[in-house]
Structure formats: structure tokens, C-alpha cells
Amino acid sequence: MIDAHTHCFPPDLYKKCESWAHQNKEAHWLSLVAPKNKSSIQGWSSAEETLEQMDLAKVSKSLLLGWYWEHSATCRWHNQLMKSWMEKANNRFIGFASIFPSEAPIEQLEEASSMGFQGVGELHPTIQGFSENKENWYAMAEWCSDKKWPINLHVTEAMNLSHAGYVSTPFQDYLDLATHFPELKIILAHFGGGIPFFEQNPKIKTLLKNVYYDTAACPLLYDMDIFRNMIQLVGSHKIIFGSDFPLKLYPSTKQPPVMKTFIEDIRSNGGLSELERQRIFSENIIKILGNS
Ligand SMILES: [Zn+2]
């Protein structure tokens, strides 16, 4: 069992989010983890605590995703930390690097590759300047396509009840990337924010042949019928389990984040067959990563 969408931040950051974000000019991250006049759904978990949660949830490996920072310096800082957590975790963490694609992406990618990362993400096309810096994003996409590195992209649901830190992500940006780089493996987070609907157009389905959808943050956004509906729309071979741990997926419980709750919810209420479960919980991501 693999959780393909988790994040990890260093414990000394939790208590000084505001001053750290101001110092590093990471305003968007702050608006998500510490929204003004709203309670935060962000939970925190050190690398060690994440491993404990994985044991309790019977998750053998987690994909540690980087963050869509607004500066390459912050990406480098985060990658160094993730590298140290990967080294201590005995192969239980797979790392996707934090990259700021709008600025010298190849240097960042080469560095991440030498550090043991196996993909890129989570990226945010709007926050990180896709439409203004397409050339750099294309250079990154080409490098990733050549090296068979998947890219995980955040997608904001197109219709929503405006939540803290909401920044829209136009669907056209994703179609643009998938069209220009047909061999690039793209994982769209959060069930693709509505994009799967358009896979009913056969021409778009063809263009999105290497696009996958992860289940991150699902309980905050959708009811569990989405699992069956998504299988109808795109097929179980395109859906990847990811939690978005340590986000508080069940905020009404007022508990610290528990990785196994969402897994149990899927098992009880997702209506999946054994084959679908195997694909979604492990086989699909293993295939995408090209290793076991
Ligand atoms: Zn996301």
C-alpha cells in the first residue's frame, strides 16, 4: 500500500509559520496553513510521526511531495530536508522534489535528481507562474518526459465554496502541458478538480492518455460516491490513492491527523472491488514510477 500524496515540514516551522513565511516571502503557503479569521485544516506531522502513522495504517511507502513554493530558494531548502528524511526512512519515503519551474528549472531538476528524488510536485500553475513563464515550464516538462519523471500538479476544483487560500487553476493549462508533452506522466491532484468530466470527449481523452488523478483531500471536497463515479469516467487504472496527510481530512473530529481514517473510509464506503482497490492503493503508482 502506497500513499502517493503526503507533505512533510520540519517541526521547528509549525510554531513560527507567520514570521517564517514573511521572511521567505511565501505568502500563499501561509494563507493555506494559517488563514486569517478561520480555523486551519492544516495538521502537522514530523517525518518520524508520519512513519508511525504509516505503520498504523499499514502503508508501506509514502510519496513525500514537495510544495509549490514561490521561490527556488525555498524549494532547495525543502528538498534538503526531504532528502534527510528519505535517508533515515529506509526506503519508505519516495521523494518528489519542490521545484520553482519559472526560474532555471533544469539546474533545480539536476540537483534534485542527484539527491535521489524521482519526480516533481506538487506544483501550482497559477501560483508558480505557468502562463507567464511557459518556456521554462516546457523545459522542465521536456526534462521530466525524457527522464520518465512524473509531475504532480495541484488542481483547484473549478466550482467551489471559496475556501482559505483559494486560487483558481484554469483547466486549459493542464491540457496545454499534456498536449505538448504526450509522453509526460502527469498526476492531477484532488481528483483533477473536475477535469475527468471532459475525458468523455474522445479527443480530449486521447490527449489526456498519460494523465492520472490522485484522491488527495477527498473527504474535505467530495462524498465517497466519487470513487465509483471516477471509475466510470476515467477507469480504475487512472486513479491513485493519496491522502494529503497531514491535512485534517475530517475536521469535525477535532483530532490530530490520522492516516488510516481515510483508508478505512475508502474500504467501507468507496464501493471498490478487490481489483480496483489493488490498482488504486498501489499498482497504478508503481507502474507510473516504473519501479516496485
Ligand atoms: Zn494540492
Side-chain angles (χ1 to χ4, degrees), residues 45 49 87 123 150 166 173 186 192 196 213 245:
S45 176
E49 288 162 339
E87 283 167 354
L123 301 182
Y166 171 77
D173 292 353
I186 296 175
Y213 303 93
F245 184 84

Side-chain angles (χ1 to χ4, degrees), residues 5 7 67-68 122-124 152-155 189-190 216-217 244:
H5 191 130
H7 297 283
W67 189 258
Y68 35 92
E122 184 175 5
L123 301 182
H124 192 306
N152 183 302
L153 292 151
H154 175 88
V155 190
H190 317 299
D244 224 342

Side-chain angles (χ1 to χ4, degrees), residues 106-120:
I106 304 302
E107 274 169 45
Q108 295 177 64
L109 291 161
E110 295 286 355
E111 201 175 303
S113 173
S114 71
M115 291 163 80
F117 287 92
Q118 297 181 47
V120 168

